[in-house]
Amino acid sequence: MVEAQDRSNKSKLLRSLRSLFYIVYDDTKKMSSAILSYAGWAFLPGLVTGWLQSIYYGITIRAGEPKPQPGSPRYQKHRRAIHMTVIIAYLLYTLYEADYWVRQKGDFYQDLGLSPEAGEKAIKSRFRRLAALYHPDKISTEDAVAHSAAEAYFVNLKSAQDTLSDPVKRFAYERFGPDVLKWQHCKTIRDYLVTGVQTSSLPLYAGSGFFLGILSFTSYLQWGRFWRYLALASLFILEYHTITRPYYPPILTKVFNPFLRTFTGHAPLVPFQLVVLARKATFTLFIAFSQLGGLFPQPPPTSTTTSTPHDLQQLARLEGIAKTTEVEASRLIALDMAPFSGDGGGQKELRGRVKEWLVNNTIRNDPEVRDAMGRAMGKRRLGTPAGARQ
């Protein structure tokens, strides 16, 4: 009896440790995936662009012909076009990766093998059938790993059946996902909505709006600023409409699910999965905008000047200094001309000598003036009669 109890306690301890390991592993995997995604956005587009440009020149330019040199207009034009193509392709890949992650995690409808339109009777009937097939009692306790896996799978099926059979929990699950299983204090739809907004939506939009405001205030990443605000506002409207309406959003039932079912065989998306994909797409677009901003030709800087009070103060100060300098120069000139005051003939003689000095030392010493005078004197000598020259 004691040995059986010890084995039971050890089994519970192993299950707890295994669950803790899976939780830590899953969180670490998510963090690593996010870090790798952002790191990829930082250097992969530029690296792939260089490779593709070299391959493009190797295919389109014949041997012996000169290739466009880095920095030349043709080289920059090709690099810009290839870089844009790479960023758009990487953006589509990121969205595909997010969709793959959502499909891998699944949902309670996929776990039970039902469609989101299934009623309560169909849910309970499906659970009884699966429980009869995969109940842990059908697995030998000697195989601890298989028995633990069967227990975990049965618990997940039981959680799916309990959640989807309760209209309130089903509404909350379809809007907020498996996180609602942790909100044990919630009893009504209003409780779930308030908790979901406080724990998920409010921190996201408050943080994103604050971050965009900081970027706008610091004049950083100005390109695409309008589209960033538009994307964030569109995401907010989509999420608000999704979590507050008692029905699925039309964009999901009439656009996404029919398209995915027709062309990819994708299982129907639940509203919370649509919100997850929309969030991923929005913030991936933010990063793509920052990458694309430097690739478009920048408009020439405009010479718009705005006078601030500080500028006006400086201009007034410079004007005062200029007036003071003008007065001082006039005073010094008057002092220099003081010996000739009252002597009109002296002042006239001084002006004549200054004029003569300017002519003799400035104008006549100019190379062009001297050359012109030499040509004029030469022509004058050639035009004088021989008898006159003797």
Side-chain angles (χ1 to χ4, degrees):
M1 184 72 178
V2 176
E3 292 180 357
Q5 185 68 26
D6 290 341
R7 284 196 300 270
S8 177
N9 292 335
K10 290 180 180 179
S11 177
K12 292 179 180 179
L13 178 61
L14 288 174
R15 287 197 300 270
S16 300
L17 292 175
R18 189 180 295 108
S19 300
L20 179 61
F21 170 77
Y22 285 137
I23 292 174
V24 173
Y25 174 76
D26 187 55
D27 291 341
T28 305
K29 187 176 180 181
K30 289 180 184 178
M31 185 179 298
S32 301
S33 177
I35 293 174
L36 289 175
S37 178
Y38 289 123
W41 272 109
F43 72 90
L44 270 182
L47 185 64
V48 175
T49 298
W51 290 345
L52 291 180
Q53 192 168 9
S54 299
I55 296 173
Y56 173 75
Y57 286 156
I59 296 175
T60 59
I61 297 180
R62 297 178 180 178
E65 294 182 359
K67 296 181 180 179
Q69 295 299 317
S72 63
R74 185 183 177 192
Y75 181 91
Q76 293 297 337
K77 178 182 178 181
H78 293 165
R79 185 170 185 85
R80 188 183 303 115
I82 296 174
H83 201 170
M84 288 182 179
T85 305
V86 169
I87 290 175
I88 294 173
Y90 194 65
L91 173 63
L92 295 176
Y93 168 75
T94 305
L95 298 180
Y96 169 78
E97 184 185 26
D99 175 71
Y100 177 78
W101 178 78
V102 167
R103 286 188 284 114
Q104 287 296 109
K105 287 188 68 78
D107 58 75
F108 284 165
Y109 292 106
Q110 294 182 40
D111 295 339
L112 294 175
L114 297 171
S115 68
E117 293 82 13
E120 181 179 354
K121 184 176 180 180
I123 293 171
K124 292 182 177 181
S125 175
R126 183 64 177 173
F127 170 73
R128 286 193 296 267
R129 185 180 305 174
L130 293 175
L133 294 174
Y134 300 105
H135 198 279
D137 292 342
K138 296 182 177 293
I139 306 298
S140 174
T141 56
E142 295 180 358
D143 191 348
V145 176
H147 189 74
S148 298
E151 285 185 346
Y153 183 66
F154 180 77
V155 169
N156 182 68
L157 292 177
K158 186 68 168 62
S159 298
Q161 188 263 342
D162 293 341
T163 302
L164 300 182
S165 297
D166 187 336
V168 175
K169 291 183 179 180
R170 182 174 181 174
F171 175 89
Y173 173 78
E174 290 177 345
R175 273 90 187 149
F176 299 104
D179 290 341
V180 299
L181 301 179
K182 305 174 185 177
W183 305 341
Q184 299 296 330
H185 62 284
C186 297
K187 302 299 181 184
T188 63
I189 291 179
R190 183 178 182 278
D191 294 338
Y192 280 108
L193 286 175
V194 171
T195 304
V197 169
Q198 290 178 348
T199 59
S200 177
S201 301
L202 185 61
L204 172 69
Y205 292 105
S208 301
F210 177 77
F211 181 70
L212 290 179
I214 291 294
L215 292 181
S216 300
F217 180 76
T218 56
S219 300
Y220 183 69
L221 294 180
Q222 291 297 307
W223 191 91
R225 180 176 58 179
F226 168 77
W227 298 107
R228 288 187 179 90
Y229 282 111
L230 180 62
L232 186 63
S234 302
L235 176 64
F236 172 78
I237 294 173
L238 173 64
E239 185 167 346
Y240 175 80
H241 182 273
T242 300
I243 67 178
T244 57
R245 296 298 184 271
Y247 49 84
Y248 283 18
I251 192 174
L252 182 62
T253 57
K254 297 181 180 181
V255 179
F256 280 98
N257 282 342
F259 175 81
L260 294 174
R261 188 182 301 112
T262 303
F263 296 98
T264 65
H266 197 297
L269 292 176
V270 185
F272 81 86
Q273 294 174 329
L274 175 66
V275 172
V276 170
L277 291 177
R279 288 181 177 182
K280 182 69 174 179
T282 301
F283 291 102
T284 304
L285 280 175
F286 285 177
I287 303 175
F289 286 156
S290 63
Q291 292 278 336
L292 291 171
L295 300 179
F296 289 96
Q298 300 296 325
T302 57
S303 59
T304 56
T305 57
T306 56
S307 299
T308 63
H310 179 72
D311 296 334
L312 295 176
Q313 184 180 2
Q314 292 293 329
L315 289 174
R317 182 180 177 185
L318 290 174
E319 184 179 1
I321 294 174
K323 289 182 179 180
T324 304
T325 304
E326 183 180 359
V327 172
E328 185 67 20
S330 300
R331 188 179 65 83
L332 292 174
I333 292 173
L335 288 175
D336 291 337
M337 297 294 293
F340 304 98
S341 60
D343 185 5
Q347 292 185 7
K348 185 176 181 181
E349 182 181 359
L350 178 62
R351 291 192 184 95
R353 290 184 178 181
V354 170
K355 182 178 180 181
E356 183 181 358
W357 179 84
L358 288 173
V359 171
N360 293 329
N361 294 279
T362 303
I363 299 177
R364 289 183 178 177
N365 289 331
D366 187 90
E368 295 183 0
V369 175
R370 293 174 65 182
D371 186 48
M373 290 179 64
R375 289 197 301 270
M377 294 298 294
K379 291 180 181 180
R380 185 176 179 182
R381 292 192 187 96
L382 291 175
T384 304
R389 289 200 299 267
Q390 291 178 356

